Amino acid sequence: TYLGRPETHFIRCQAMGILGNALVTSRPEDALPVLEADLALRRRYFLHDEEGMLRLQSNCARCLHLLGRHDEAQLFERELYRKWRAALGATHEITILAAINLVESLAEGEATSEALTLLRRVLPDAQRGLGERHNLTFRAAGLLADLVTQTATSREQMGEANALVQKYFETVRHVFGSGHPLVQSFLNLSEQVRAKLASFPA
């Protein structure tokens, strides 16, 4: 137990982190105060541990999303992407994941134009840094195709979404197998792209 120990004691800090992480998914309303207390403690005494701070902020953002507080979560996610990009570079796996989390948050908040702009930068970063057959590259490509499909107002604009689906669908199926959720997601996306294309004059 950490009761009675100084707030900067290693065991106390570790216990707070473990408790917060354990509660994030099952009881986010209980996890958030613990995570916020841990974050405040780290900001006072452990600013040198930037990676630990960023991982804790990521858990805070996840908690806020689960609680429906998307605007607050987005503030964390913007900072996380900016800092991971500065610390690790644009093509690192953690940076790409932070960017995808931010894109999803922007899309939920109906900031579609900003989400599209970011994705068009992040997808080439993922292709370059992680390769064409990485899960995060597939996710970025699928997100971009989905957002383009949602917002396209002409057959010409749908060309980008159609090209992405054509490029990645069979690769995703080959890598993961037909039963994988990401394959089903691309299958659904392929059907949406075809339907949207059919709605425009040839």
Side-chain angles (χ1 to χ4, degrees):
T1 180
Y2 60 78
L3 293 177
R5 299 181 186 274
E7 65 176 353
T8 57
H9 193 282
F10 169 74
I11 293 176
R12 183 183 179 115
C13 294
Q14 188 178 52
M16 285 180 66
I18 291 170
L19 176 61
N21 292 340
L23 292 172
V24 168
T25 302
S26 60
R27 291 160 56 189
E29 68 282 0
D30 294 326
L32 188 58
V34 177
L35 292 171
E36 288 176 335
D38 194 5
L39 186 59
L41 184 69
R42 287 174 181 271
R43 282 173 170 159
R44 280 201 303 273
Y45 300 111
F46 303 108
L47 276 174
H48 61 279
D49 182 18
E50 185 169 8
E51 185 171 327
M53 287 275 290
L54 291 173
R55 294 187 188 282
L56 182 55
Q57 286 177 303
S58 181
N59 277 338
C60 285
R62 186 179 172 203
C63 232
L64 288 164
H65 270 304
L66 290 171
L67 293 170
R69 294 162 60 177
H70 302 300
D71 289 345
E72 294 170 75
Q74 192 181 111
L75 293 175
F76 275 115
E77 284 163 344
R78 286 183 187 280
E79 184 177 4
L80 283 164
Y81 174 56
R82 179 177 59 81
K83 288 188 173 179
W84 280 126
R85 185 181 170 92
L88 302 175
T91 60
H92 194 281
E93 183 174 2
I94 292 175
T95 306
I96 301 298
L97 179 58
I100 288 173
N101 288 340
L102 175 55
V103 164
E104 291 176 339
S105 182
L106 290 168
E108 282 180 0
E110 299 184 358
T112 311
S113 178
E114 185 180 353
L116 281 167
T117 299
L118 179 56
L119 265 178
R120 288 183 175 121
R121 184 171 73 223
V122 169
L123 179 56
D125 288 341
Q127 291 166 331
R128 200 165 54 249
L130 307 177
E132 293 281 11
R133 297 165 67 88
H134 193 281
N135 176 51
L136 292 180
T137 304
F138 295 149
R139 282 182 63 188
L143 275 170
L144 181 53
D146 184 35
L147 287 176
V148 170
T149 301
Q150 290 179 37
T151 58
T153 57
S154 70
R155 191 175 185 86
E156 288 72 26
Q157 290 176 1
M158 279 301 298
E160 183 180 19
N162 191 43
L164 286 166
V165 170
Q166 293 294 322
K167 178 177 180 178
Y168 284 105
F169 180 45
E170 288 302 327
T171 306
V172 171
R173 183 155 55 184
H174 178 74
V175 170
F176 292 111
S178 298
H180 194 277
L182 191 57
V183 176
Q184 187 59 51
S185 176
F186 264 87
L187 179 60
N188 294 340
L189 183 56
S190 178
E191 292 170 355
Q192 291 167 22
V193 167
R194 282 200 300 271
K196 187 71 176 271
L197 279 168
S199 71
F200 296 117

